[in-house]
Structures are given as C-alpha cells and as structure tokens.
PDB file of all heavy atoms in Angstrom:
ATOM      1  N   ALA A   1     114.307  71.809  63.216  1.00  0.00           N
ATOM      2  CA  ALA A   1     113.804  71.274  62.099  1.00  0.00           C
ATOM      3  C   ALA A   1     112.404  71.747  61.928  1.00  0.00           C
ATOM      4  O   ALA A   1     111.932  71.811  60.684  1.00  0.00           O
ATOM      5  CB  ALA A   1     113.701  69.658  62.168  1.00  0.00           C
ATOM      6  N   ASP A   2     111.559  72.144  62.974  1.00  0.00           N
ATOM      7  CA  ASP A   2     110.233  72.436  62.718  1.00  0.00           C
ATOM      8  C   ASP A   2     109.915  73.669  63.654  1.00  0.00           C
ATOM      9  O   ASP A   2     109.770  73.490  64.851  1.00  0.00           O
ATOM     10  CB  ASP A   2     109.382  71.338  63.086  1.00  0.00           C
ATOM     11  CG  ASP A   2     107.826  71.592  62.837  1.00  0.00           C
ATOM     12  OD1 ASP A   2     107.578  72.813  62.613  1.00  0.00           O
ATOM     13  OD2 ASP A   2     107.042  70.657  62.704  1.00  0.00           O
ATOM     14  N   ARG A   3     109.860  74.958  63.195  1.00  0.00           N
ATOM     15  CA  ARG A   3     109.756  76.104  63.918  1.00  0.00           C
ATOM     16  C   ARG A   3     108.215  76.183  64.546  1.00  0.00           C
ATOM     17  O   ARG A   3     107.971  76.717  65.541  1.00  0.00           O
ATOM     18  CB  ARG A   3     110.072  77.297  63.130  1.00  0.00           C
ATOM     19  CG  ARG A   3     109.058  77.572  62.000  1.00  0.00           C
ATOM     20  CD  ARG A   3     109.699  78.942  61.284  1.00  0.00           C
ATOM     21  NE  ARG A   3     108.687  79.563  60.410  1.00  0.00           N
ATOM     22  CZ  ARG A   3     108.612  79.145  59.093  1.00  0.00           C
ATOM     23  NH1 ARG A   3     109.330  78.089  58.668  1.00  0.00           N
ATOM     24  NH2 ARG A   3     107.791  79.760  58.181  1.00  0.00           N
ATOM     25  N   TYR A   4     107.181  75.500  63.745  1.00  0.00           N
ATOM     26  CA  TYR A   4     105.915  75.454  64.256  1.00  0.00           C
ATOM     27  C   TYR A   4     105.745  74.692  65.508  1.00  0.00           C
ATOM     28  O   TYR A   4     105.127  75.003  66.490  1.00  0.00           O
ATOM     29  CB  TYR A   4     104.872  75.060  63.249  1.00  0.00           C
ATOM     30  CG  TYR A   4     104.996  75.713  61.893  1.00  0.00           C
ATOM     31  CD1 TYR A   4     105.551  75.153  60.717  1.00  0.00           C
ATOM     32  CD2 TYR A   4     104.671  77.150  61.847  1.00  0.00           C
ATOM     33  CE1 TYR A   4     105.605  75.802  59.561  1.00  0.00           C
ATOM     34  CE2 TYR A   4     104.872  77.851  60.587  1.00  0.00           C
ATOM     35  CZ  TYR A   4     105.307  77.142  59.491  1.00  0.00           C
ATOM     36  OH  TYR A   4     105.464  77.911  58.343  1.00  0.00           O
ATOM     37  N   LYS A   5     106.412  73.560  65.352  1.00  0.00           N
ATOM     38  CA  LYS A   5     106.345  72.580  66.621  1.00  0.00           C
ATOM     39  C   LYS A   5     107.218  73.351  67.705  1.00  0.00           C
ATOM     40  O   LYS A   5     106.823  73.197  68.976  1.00  0.00           O
ATOM     41  CB  LYS A   5     106.997  71.247  66.216  1.00  0.00           C
ATOM     42  CG  LYS A   5     107.079  70.135  67.281  1.00  0.00           C
ATOM     43  CD  LYS A   5     107.610  68.912  66.710  1.00  0.00           C
ATOM     44  CE  LYS A   5     107.799  67.753  67.681  1.00  0.00           C
ATOM     45  NZ  LYS A   5     108.322  66.544  67.092  1.00  0.00           N
ATOM     46  N   ALA A   6     108.264  73.905  67.428  1.00  0.00           N
ATOM     47  CA  ALA A   6     109.129  74.673  68.463  1.00  0.00           C
ATOM     48  C   ALA A   6     108.177  75.775  69.105  1.00  0.00           C
ATOM     49  O   ALA A   6     108.255  75.858  70.398  1.00  0.00           O
ATOM     50  CB  ALA A   6     110.407  75.105  67.743  1.00  0.00           C
ATOM     51  N   GLU A   7     107.451  76.429  68.373  1.00  0.00           N
ATOM     52  CA  GLU A   7     106.645  77.533  68.963  1.00  0.00           C
ATOM     53  C   GLU A   7     105.702  77.034  69.972  1.00  0.00           C
ATOM     54  O   GLU A   7     105.466  77.453  71.059  1.00  0.00           O
ATOM     55  CB  GLU A   7     106.104  78.369  67.805  1.00  0.00           C
ATOM     56  CG  GLU A   7     105.253  79.563  68.438  1.00  0.00           C
ATOM     57  CD  GLU A   7     104.849  80.489  67.405  1.00  0.00           C
ATOM     58  OE1 GLU A   7     104.908  80.206  66.242  1.00  0.00           O
ATOM     59  OE2 GLU A   7     104.279  81.631  67.759  1.00  0.00           O
ATOM     60  N   TYR A   8     105.027  75.923  69.495  1.00  0.00           N
ATOM     61  CA  TYR A   8     103.980  75.358  70.472  1.00  0.00           C
ATOM     62  C   TYR A   8     104.662  74.843  71.675  1.00  0.00           C
ATOM     63  O   TYR A   8     104.210  75.177  72.767  1.00  0.00           O
ATOM     64  CB  TYR A   8     103.197  74.205  69.680  1.00  0.00           C
ATOM     65  CG  TYR A   8     102.336  73.382  70.675  1.00  0.00           C
ATOM     66  CD1 TYR A   8     101.101  73.995  70.823  1.00  0.00           C
ATOM     67  CD2 TYR A   8     102.882  72.273  71.277  1.00  0.00           C
ATOM     68  CE1 TYR A   8     100.164  73.306  71.734  1.00  0.00           C
ATOM     69  CE2 TYR A   8     101.800  71.579  72.229  1.00  0.00           C
ATOM     70  CZ  TYR A   8     100.616  72.143  72.411  1.00  0.00           C
ATOM     71  OH  TYR A   8      99.823  71.475  73.230  1.00  0.00           O
ATOM     72  N   GLU A   9     105.724  73.979  71.585  1.00  0.00           N
ATOM     73  CA  GLU A   9     106.304  73.401  72.788  1.00  0.00           C
ATOM     74  C   GLU A   9     107.040  74.396  73.660  1.00  0.00           C
ATOM     75  O   GLU A   9     106.901  74.291  74.896  1.00  0.00           O
ATOM     76  CB  GLU A   9     107.427  72.334  72.309  1.00  0.00           C
ATOM     77  CG  GLU A   9     106.769  71.093  71.568  1.00  0.00           C
ATOM     78  CD  GLU A   9     107.741  70.073  71.235  1.00  0.00           C
ATOM     79  OE1 GLU A   9     108.978  70.412  70.951  1.00  0.00           O
ATOM     80  OE2 GLU A   9     107.317  68.940  71.298  1.00  0.00           O
ATOM     81  N   VAL A  10     107.689  75.359  73.131  1.00  0.00           N
ATOM     82  CA  VAL A  10     108.445  76.403  73.895  1.00  0.00           C
ATOM     83  C   VAL A  10     107.522  77.357  74.524  1.00  0.00           C
ATOM     84  O   VAL A  10     107.488  77.505  75.845  1.00  0.00           O
ATOM     85  CB  VAL A  10     109.451  77.273  73.090  1.00  0.00           C
ATOM     86  CG1 VAL A  10     109.961  78.371  73.795  1.00  0.00           C
ATOM     87  CG2 VAL A  10     110.557  76.298  72.541  1.00  0.00           C
ATOM     88  N   ARG A  11     106.356  77.788  73.852  1.00  0.00           N
ATOM     89  CA  ARG A  11     105.420  78.611  74.538  1.00  0.00           C
ATOM     90  C   ARG A  11     104.599  77.865  75.578  1.00  0.00           C
ATOM     91  O   ARG A  11     104.280  78.570  76.693  1.00  0.00           O
ATOM     92  CB  ARG A  11     104.511  79.226  73.559  1.00  0.00           C
ATOM     93  CG  ARG A  11     105.211  80.388  72.621  1.00  0.00           C
ATOM     94  CD  ARG A  11     104.273  80.894  71.709  1.00  0.00           C
ATOM     95  NE  ARG A  11     103.304  81.762  72.346  1.00  0.00           N
ATOM     96  CZ  ARG A  11     102.252  82.392  71.669  1.00  0.00           C
ATOM     97  NH1 ARG A  11     102.319  82.483  70.370  1.00  0.00           N
ATOM     98  NH2 ARG A  11     101.438  83.139  72.281  1.00  0.00           N
ATOM     99  N   LYS A  12     104.457  76.641  75.320  1.00  0.00           N
ATOM    100  CA  LYS A  12     103.697  75.868  76.436  1.00  0.00           C
ATOM    101  C   LYS A  12     104.546  75.698  77.683  1.00  0.00           C
ATOM    102  O   LYS A  12     104.126  75.810  78.746  1.00  0.00           O
ATOM    103  CB  LYS A  12     103.313  74.485  75.784  1.00  0.00           C
ATOM    104  CG  LYS A  12     102.365  73.687  76.647  1.00  0.00           C
ATOM    105  CD  LYS A  12     101.873  72.408  75.874  1.00  0.00           C
ATOM    106  CE  LYS A  12     100.854  71.694  76.411  1.00  0.00           C
ATOM    107  NZ  LYS A  12     100.807  71.486  77.934  1.00  0.00           N
ATOM    108  N   SER A  13     105.838  75.388  77.453  1.00  0.00           N
ATOM    109  CA  SER A  13     106.762  75.087  78.485  1.00  0.00           C
ATOM    110  C   SER A  13     107.010  76.360  79.312  1.00  0.00           C
ATOM    111  O   SER A  13     107.311  76.348  80.542  1.00  0.00           O
ATOM    112  CB  SER A  13     108.066  74.545  78.166  1.00  0.00           C
ATOM    113  OG  SER A  13     108.751  75.484  77.362  1.00  0.00           O
ATOM    114  N   LEU A  14     106.843  77.548  78.629  1.00  0.00           N
ATOM    115  CA  LEU A  14     107.145  78.960  79.411  1.00  0.00           C
ATOM    116  C   LEU A  14     105.942  79.607  79.797  1.00  0.00           C
ATOM    117  O   LEU A  14     106.051  80.810  80.296  1.00  0.00           O
ATOM    118  CB  LEU A  14     108.036  79.797  78.414  1.00  0.00           C
ATOM    119  CG  LEU A  14     109.384  79.238  77.988  1.00  0.00           C
ATOM    120  CD1 LEU A  14     110.004  80.295  77.035  1.00  0.00           C
ATOM    121  CD2 LEU A  14     110.258  78.988  79.216  1.00  0.00           C
ATOM    122  N   LYS A  15     104.847  78.977  79.769  1.00  0.00           N
ATOM    123  CA  LYS A  15     103.556  79.806  80.002  1.00  0.00           C
ATOM    124  C   LYS A  15     103.523  80.310  81.362  1.00  0.00           C
ATOM    125  O   LYS A  15     102.984  81.422  81.642  1.00  0.00           O
ATOM    126  CB  LYS A  15     102.415  78.931  79.766  1.00  0.00           C
ATOM    127  CG  LYS A  15     102.127  77.753  80.749  1.00  0.00           C
ATOM    128  CD  LYS A  15     100.903  76.932  80.258  1.00  0.00           C
ATOM    129  CE  LYS A  15     100.628  75.781  81.274  1.00  0.00           C
ATOM    130  NZ  LYS A  15     101.682  74.731  81.155  1.00  0.00           N
ATOM    131  N   LYS A  16     104.183  79.680  82.492  1.00  0.00           N
ATOM    132  CA  LYS A  16     104.151  80.189  83.749  1.00  0.00           C
ATOM    133  C   LYS A  16     105.163  81.377  84.035  1.00  0.00           C
ATOM    134  O   LYS A  16     105.235  81.914  84.981  1.00  0.00           O
ATOM    135  CB  LYS A  16     104.550  79.093  84.769  1.00  0.00           C
ATOM    136  CG  LYS A  16     103.432  78.016  84.820  1.00  0.00           C
ATOM    137  CD  LYS A  16     103.700  76.938  85.833  1.00  0.00           C
ATOM    138  CE  LYS A  16     102.468  75.958  85.979  1.00  0.00           C
ATOM    139  NZ  LYS A  16     102.788  74.882  86.975  1.00  0.00           N
ATOM    140  N   LYS A  17     106.021  81.558  82.886  1.00  0.00           N
ATOM    141  CA  LYS A  17     107.084  82.581  82.980  1.00  0.00           C
ATOM    142  C   LYS A  17     106.714  83.742  82.217  1.00  0.00           C
ATOM    143  O   LYS A  17     107.447  84.866  82.109  1.00  0.00           O
ATOM    144  CB  LYS A  17     108.378  82.023  82.373  1.00  0.00           C
ATOM    145  CG  LYS A  17     108.928  80.838  83.168  1.00  0.00           C
ATOM    146  CD  LYS A  17     109.378  81.289  84.543  1.00  0.00           C
ATOM    147  CE  LYS A  17     110.031  80.169  85.358  1.00  0.00           C
ATOM    148  NZ  LYS A  17     110.559  80.594  86.725  1.00  0.00           N
ATOM    149  N   THR A  18     105.441  83.919  81.654  1.00  0.00           N
ATOM    150  CA  THR A  18     105.018  85.019  80.902  1.00  0.00           C
ATOM    151  C   THR A  18     104.803  86.280  81.707  1.00  0.00           C
ATOM    152  O   THR A  18     104.351  86.208  82.960  1.00  0.00           O
ATOM    153  CB  THR A  18     103.662  84.727  80.194  1.00  0.00           C
ATOM    154  OG1 THR A  18     103.767  83.491  79.553  1.00  0.00           O
ATOM    155  CG2 THR A  18     103.157  85.654  79.363  1.00  0.00           C
ATOM    156  N   VAL A  19     105.257  87.406  81.191  1.00  0.00           N
ATOM    157  CA  VAL A  19     105.105  88.723  81.886  1.00  0.00           C
ATOM    158  C   VAL A  19     103.684  89.107  81.645  1.00  0.00           C
ATOM    159  O   VAL A  19     103.230  89.167  80.506  1.00  0.00           O
ATOM    160  CB  VAL A  19     106.092  89.746  81.445  1.00  0.00           C
ATOM    161  CG1 VAL A  19     105.882  91.081  81.932  1.00  0.00           C
ATOM    162  CG2 VAL A  19     107.500  89.332  81.689  1.00  0.00           C
ATOM    163  N   PRO A  20     102.936  89.334  82.732  1.00  0.00           N
ATOM    164  CA  PRO A  20     101.430  89.617  82.513  1.00  0.00           C
ATOM    165  C   PRO A  20     101.332  90.945  81.584  1.00  0.00           C
ATOM    166  O   PRO A  20     101.906  91.815  81.646  1.00  0.00           O
ATOM    167  CB  PRO A  20     101.025  90.036  83.881  1.00  0.00           C
ATOM    168  CG  PRO A  20     101.882  89.223  84.757  1.00  0.00           C
ATOM    169  CD  PRO A  20     103.437  89.258  84.157  1.00  0.00           C
ATOM    170  N   GLY A  21     100.430  90.719  80.585  1.00  0.00           N
ATOM    171  CA  GLY A  21     100.110  91.761  79.624  1.00  0.00           C
ATOM    172  C   GLY A  21     101.177  91.876  78.583  1.00  0.00           C
ATOM    173  O   GLY A  21     101.008  92.710  77.682  1.00  0.00           O
ATOM    174  N   LYS A  22     102.215  90.939  78.506  1.00  0.00           N
ATOM    175  CA  LYS A  22     103.213  91.170  77.516  1.00  0.00           C
ATOM    176  C   LYS A  22     103.257  89.828  76.780  1.00  0.00           C
ATOM    177  O   LYS A  22     103.596  88.784  77.210  1.00  0.00           O
ATOM    178  CB  LYS A  22     104.555  91.376  78.103  1.00  0.00           C
ATOM    179  CG  LYS A  22     104.664  92.690  78.975  1.00  0.00           C
ATOM    180  CD  LYS A  22     104.669  93.971  78.076  1.00  0.00           C
ATOM    181  CE  LYS A  22     104.926  95.084  78.946  1.00  0.00           C
ATOM    182  NZ  LYS A  22     104.959  96.404  78.168  1.00  0.00           N
ATOM    183  N   ILE A  23     102.891  89.885  75.383  1.00  0.00           N
ATOM    184  CA  ILE A  23     102.914  88.758  74.575  1.00  0.00           C
ATOM    185  C   ILE A  23     104.340  88.427  74.134  1.00  0.00           C
ATOM    186  O   ILE A  23     105.044  89.203  73.603  1.00  0.00           O
ATOM    187  CB  ILE A  23     102.001  88.992  73.307  1.00  0.00           C
ATOM    188  CG1 ILE A  23     100.517  89.289  73.731  1.00  0.00           C
ATOM    189  CG2 ILE A  23     101.973  87.649  72.361  1.00  0.00           C
ATOM    190  CD1 ILE A  23      99.916  88.287  74.611  1.00  0.00           C
ATOM    191  N   GLY A  24     104.728  87.106  74.370  1.00  0.00           N
ATOM    192  CA  GLY A  24     106.099  86.745  73.931  1.00  0.00           C
ATOM    193  C   GLY A  24     107.208  87.263  74.773  1.00  0.00           C
ATOM    194  O   GLY A  24     108.387  87.122  74.429  1.00  0.00           O
ATOM    195  N   ILE A  25     106.923  87.832  75.874  1.00  0.00           N
ATOM    196  CA  ILE A  25     107.926  88.321  76.908  1.00  0.00           C
ATOM    197  C   ILE A  25     107.876  87.577  78.121  1.00  0.00           C
ATOM    198  O   ILE A  25     106.893  87.296  78.729  1.00  0.00           O
ATOM    199  CB  ILE A  25     107.648  89.779  77.142  1.00  0.00           C
ATOM    200  CG1 ILE A  25     107.558  90.723  75.944  1.00  0.00           C
ATOM    201  CG2 ILE A  25     108.830  90.369  78.132  1.00  0.00           C
ATOM    202  CD1 ILE A  25     108.805  90.640  75.112  1.00  0.00           C
ATOM    203  N   TYR A  26     109.015  87.069  78.595  1.00  0.00           N
ATOM    204  CA  TYR A  26     109.200  86.134  79.685  1.00  0.00           C
ATOM    205  C   TYR A  26     110.255  86.537  80.742  1.00  0.00           C
ATOM    206  O   TYR A  26     111.132  87.265  80.407  1.00  0.00           O
ATOM    207  CB  TYR A  26     109.514  84.707  79.193  1.00  0.00           C
ATOM    208  CG  TYR A  26     108.554  84.275  78.065  1.00  0.00           C
ATOM    209  CD1 TYR A  26     108.800  84.495  76.718  1.00  0.00           C
ATOM    210  CD2 TYR A  26     107.435  83.479  78.397  1.00  0.00           C
ATOM    211  CE1 TYR A  26     107.969  83.973  75.755  1.00  0.00           C
ATOM    212  CE2 TYR A  26     106.634  83.021  77.436  1.00  0.00           C
ATOM    213  CZ  TYR A  26     106.785  83.254  76.111  1.00  0.00           C
ATOM    214  OH  TYR A  26     105.963  82.823  75.211  1.00  0.00           O
ATOM    215  N   LYS A  27     109.983  86.052  82.051  1.00  0.00           N
ATOM    216  CA  LYS A  27     110.957  86.102  83.178  1.00  0.00           C
ATOM    217  C   LYS A  27     111.747  84.827  83.038  1.00  0.00           C
ATOM    218  O   LYS A  27     111.239  83.881  83.486  1.00  0.00           O
ATOM    219  CB  LYS A  27     110.255  86.396  84.396  1.00  0.00           C
ATOM    220  CG  LYS A  27     109.341  87.530  84.455  1.00  0.00           C
ATOM    221  CD  LYS A  27     108.566  87.493  85.851  1.00  0.00           C
ATOM    222  CE  LYS A  27     107.641  88.715  85.996  1.00  0.00           C
ATOM    223  NZ  LYS A  27     106.830  88.685  87.287  1.00  0.00           N
ATOM    224  N   LEU A  28     112.975  84.887  82.515  1.00  0.00           N
ATOM    225  CA  LEU A  28     113.672  83.695  82.337  1.00  0.00           C
ATOM    226  C   LEU A  28     114.954  83.747  83.280  1.00  0.00           C
ATOM    227  O   LEU A  28     115.636  84.727  83.389  1.00  0.00           O
ATOM    228  CB  LEU A  28     114.069  83.528  80.863  1.00  0.00           C
ATOM    229  CG  LEU A  28     112.950  83.365  79.893  1.00  0.00           C
ATOM    230  CD1 LEU A  28     113.583  83.192  78.483  1.00  0.00           C
ATOM    231  CD2 LEU A  28     112.014  82.320  80.110  1.00  0.00           C
ATOM    232  N   GLY A  29     115.208  82.629  83.925  1.00  0.00           N
ATOM    233  CA  GLY A  29     116.420  82.392  84.641  1.00  0.00           C
ATOM    234  C   GLY A  29     117.405  81.637  83.961  1.00  0.00           C
ATOM    235  O   GLY A  29     117.169  81.129  82.877  1.00  0.00           O
ATOM    236  N   PRO A  30     118.613  81.368  84.534  1.00  0.00           N
ATOM    237  CA  PRO A  30     119.681  80.550  83.905  1.00  0.00           C
ATOM    238  C   PRO A  30     119.187  79.211  83.394  1.00  0.00           C
ATOM    239  O   PRO A  30     119.523  78.603  82.418  1.00  0.00           O
ATOM    240  CB  PRO A  30     120.677  80.484  84.836  1.00  0.00           C
ATOM    241  CG  PRO A  30     120.564  81.788  85.808  1.00  0.00           C
ATOM    242  CD  PRO A  30     119.024  81.948  85.808  1.00  0.00           C
ATOM    243  N   LYS A  31     118.256  78.619  84.243  1.00  0.00           N
ATOM    244  CA  LYS A  31     117.753  77.271  84.011  1.00  0.00           C
ATOM    245  C   LYS A  31     117.013  77.216  82.611  1.00  0.00           C
ATOM    246  O   LYS A  31     117.245  76.456  81.699  1.00  0.00           O
ATOM    247  CB  LYS A  31     116.932  76.594  85.117  1.00  0.00           C
ATOM    248  CG  LYS A  31     116.337  75.374  84.819  1.00  0.00           C
ATOM    249  CD  LYS A  31     115.433  74.929  85.986  1.00  0.00           C
ATOM    250  CE  LYS A  31     114.821  73.513  85.658  1.00  0.00           C
ATOM    251  NZ  LYS A  31     113.930  73.105  86.735  1.00  0.00           N
ATOM    252  N   GLN A  32     115.970  78.185  82.473  1.00  0.00           N
ATOM    253  CA  GLN A  32     115.329  78.262  81.310  1.00  0.00           C
ATOM    254  C   GLN A  32     116.103  78.453  80.056  1.00  0.00           C
ATOM    255  O   GLN A  32     115.962  78.006  78.874  1.00  0.00           O
ATOM    256  CB  GLN A  32     114.040  79.242  81.385  1.00  0.00           C
ATOM    257  CG  GLN A  32     113.136  78.837  82.350  1.00  0.00           C
ATOM    258  CD  GLN A  32     113.409  79.068  83.897  1.00  0.00           C
ATOM    259  OE1 GLN A  32     114.103  80.137  84.153  1.00  0.00           O
ATOM    260  NE2 GLN A  32     113.061  78.173  84.670  1.00  0.00           N
ATOM    261  N   LEU A  33     116.942  79.488  80.190  1.00  0.00           N
ATOM    262  CA  LEU A  33     117.886  79.758  79.107  1.00  0.00           C
ATOM    263  C   LEU A  33     118.696  78.674  78.616  1.00  0.00           C
ATOM    264  O   LEU A  33     118.927  78.351  77.429  1.00  0.00           O
ATOM    265  CB  LEU A  33     118.780  80.913  79.443  1.00  0.00           C
ATOM    266  CG  LEU A  33     118.125  82.329  79.618  1.00  0.00           C
ATOM    267  CD1 LEU A  33     119.096  83.405  80.176  1.00  0.00           C
ATOM    268  CD2 LEU A  33     117.606  82.875  78.361  1.00  0.00           C
ATOM    269  N   GLU A  34     119.155  77.867  79.638  1.00  0.00           N
ATOM    270  CA  GLU A  34     120.022  76.686  79.160  1.00  0.00           C
ATOM    271  C   GLU A  34     119.195  75.567  78.477  1.00  0.00           C
ATOM    272  O   GLU A  34     119.485  74.908  77.595  1.00  0.00           O
ATOM    273  CB  GLU A  34     120.670  76.138  80.518  1.00  0.00           C
ATOM    274  CG  GLU A  34     121.572  74.859  80.167  1.00  0.00           C
ATOM    275  CD  GLU A  34     122.738  75.317  79.197  1.00  0.00           C
ATOM    276  OE1 GLU A  34     123.152  76.457  79.110  1.00  0.00           O
ATOM    277  OE2 GLU A  34     123.384  74.325  78.681  1.00  0.00           O
ATOM    278  N   GLU A  35     117.879  75.479  79.061  1.00  0.00           N
ATOM    279  CA  GLU A  35     116.966  74.539  78.332  1.00  0.00           C
ATOM    280  C   GLU A  35     116.728  74.927  76.892  1.00  0.00           C
ATOM    281  O   GLU A  35     116.529  74.135  76.039  1.00  0.00           O
ATOM    282  CB  GLU A  35     115.737  74.497  79.232  1.00  0.00           C
ATOM    283  CG  GLU A  35     115.856  73.733  80.557  1.00  0.00           C
ATOM    284  CD  GLU A  35     114.605  73.779  81.358  1.00  0.00           C
ATOM    285  OE1 GLU A  35     113.602  74.520  81.044  1.00  0.00           O
ATOM    286  OE2 GLU A  35     114.494  72.971  82.250  1.00  0.00           O
ATOM    287  N   LEU A  36     116.453  76.196  76.690  1.00  0.00           N
ATOM    288  CA  LEU A  36     116.300  76.776  75.420  1.00  0.00           C
ATOM    289  C   LEU A  36     117.515  76.582  74.475  1.00  0.00           C
ATOM    290  O   LEU A  36     117.329  76.289  73.255  1.00  0.00           O
ATOM    291  CB  LEU A  36     115.937  78.241  75.402  1.00  0.00           C
ATOM    292  CG  LEU A  36     114.425  78.534  76.011  1.00  0.00           C
ATOM    293  CD1 LEU A  36     114.332  80.071  76.048  1.00  0.00           C
ATOM    294  CD2 LEU A  36     113.459  78.077  74.951  1.00  0.00           C
ATOM    295  N   ARG A  37     118.683  76.686  75.040  1.00  0.00           N
ATOM    296  CA  ARG A  37     119.988  76.602  74.279  1.00  0.00           C
ATOM    297  C   ARG A  37     120.077  75.150  73.785  1.00  0.00           C
ATOM    298  O   ARG A  37     120.568  74.910  72.647  1.00  0.00           O
ATOM    299  CB  ARG A  37     121.086  77.021  75.246  1.00  0.00           C
ATOM    300  CG  ARG A  37     122.429  77.153  74.366  1.00  0.00           C
ATOM    301  CD  ARG A  37     123.584  77.583  75.301  1.00  0.00           C
ATOM    302  NE  ARG A  37     123.205  78.627  76.084  1.00  0.00           N
ATOM    303  CZ  ARG A  37     123.446  79.943  75.718  1.00  0.00           C
ATOM    304  NH1 ARG A  37     123.780  80.213  74.471  1.00  0.00           N
ATOM    305  NH2 ARG A  37     123.022  80.921  76.478  1.00  0.00           N
ATOM    306  N   LYS A  38     119.549  74.195  74.638  1.00  0.00           N
ATOM    307  CA  LYS A  38     119.591  72.786  74.284  1.00  0.00           C
ATOM    308  C   LYS A  38     118.481  72.253  73.492  1.00  0.00           C
ATOM    309  O   LYS A  38     118.351  71.065  73.100  1.00  0.00           O
ATOM    310  CB  LYS A  38     119.841  71.935  75.587  1.00  0.00           C
ATOM    311  CG  LYS A  38     121.161  72.168  76.333  1.00  0.00           C
ATOM    312  CD  LYS A  38     121.227  71.359  77.536  1.00  0.00           C
ATOM    313  CE  LYS A  38     122.537  71.523  78.208  1.00  0.00           C
ATOM    314  NZ  LYS A  38     122.639  70.697  79.508  1.00  0.00           N
ATOM    315  N   TYR A  39     117.453  73.071  73.236  1.00  0.00           N
ATOM    316  CA  TYR A  39     116.227  72.581  72.684  1.00  0.00           C
ATOM    317  C   TYR A  39     116.445  72.165  71.169  1.00  0.00           C
ATOM    318  O   TYR A  39     117.185  72.885  70.451  1.00  0.00           O
ATOM    319  CB  TYR A  39     115.135  73.776  72.523  1.00  0.00           C
ATOM    320  CG  TYR A  39     113.942  73.282  71.950  1.00  0.00           C
ATOM    321  CD1 TYR A  39     112.924  72.520  72.511  1.00  0.00           C
ATOM    322  CD2 TYR A  39     113.661  73.626  70.560  1.00  0.00           C
ATOM    323  CE1 TYR A  39     111.752  72.211  71.803  1.00  0.00           C
ATOM    324  CE2 TYR A  39     112.461  73.178  69.825  1.00  0.00           C
ATOM    325  CZ  TYR A  39     111.680  72.516  70.560  1.00  0.00           C
ATOM    326  OH  TYR A  39     110.484  72.108  69.858  1.00  0.00           O
TER     327      TYR A  39
END
C-alpha cells in the first residue's frame, strides 16, 4: 500500500545484511526471502 514506508522498514530490517560498498545489495538467506515474500 505504501512503497515509501516499505523502503524504510525493509532497508532498516536488512541493514545487517548489506554487502559492504554496495548500495541496495544484500546477502539474503531463505529466512529473509520468506519474510520479504510475506511483507
């Protein structure tokens, strides 16, 4: 419903999965992918 809210919440939840030096690129496992699928 709100992509701005989604960007804030998702990027905040994934901040520890960020690939160093890569903006918007993450190391994601099955757990994170499933959480995103249900978001």
Side-chain angles (χ1 to χ4, degrees):
D2 187 344
R3 69 182 190 275
Y4 306 116
K5 183 175 177 179
E7 184 171 5
Y8 175 83
E9 292 184 329
V10 169
R11 287 183 66 177
K12 192 175 193 309
S13 69
L14 296 179
K15 65 181 184 295
K16 293 182 179 180
K17 297 293 182 178
T18 305
V19 176
K22 301 287 185 179
I23 304 300
I25 307 298
Y26 304 91
K27 300 176 184 177
L28 303 179
K31 178 182 177 182
Q32 288 78 38
L33 289 172
E34 185 60 23
E35 288 175 348
L36 286 171
R37 195 181 304 276
K38 294 179 178 180
Y39 176 82

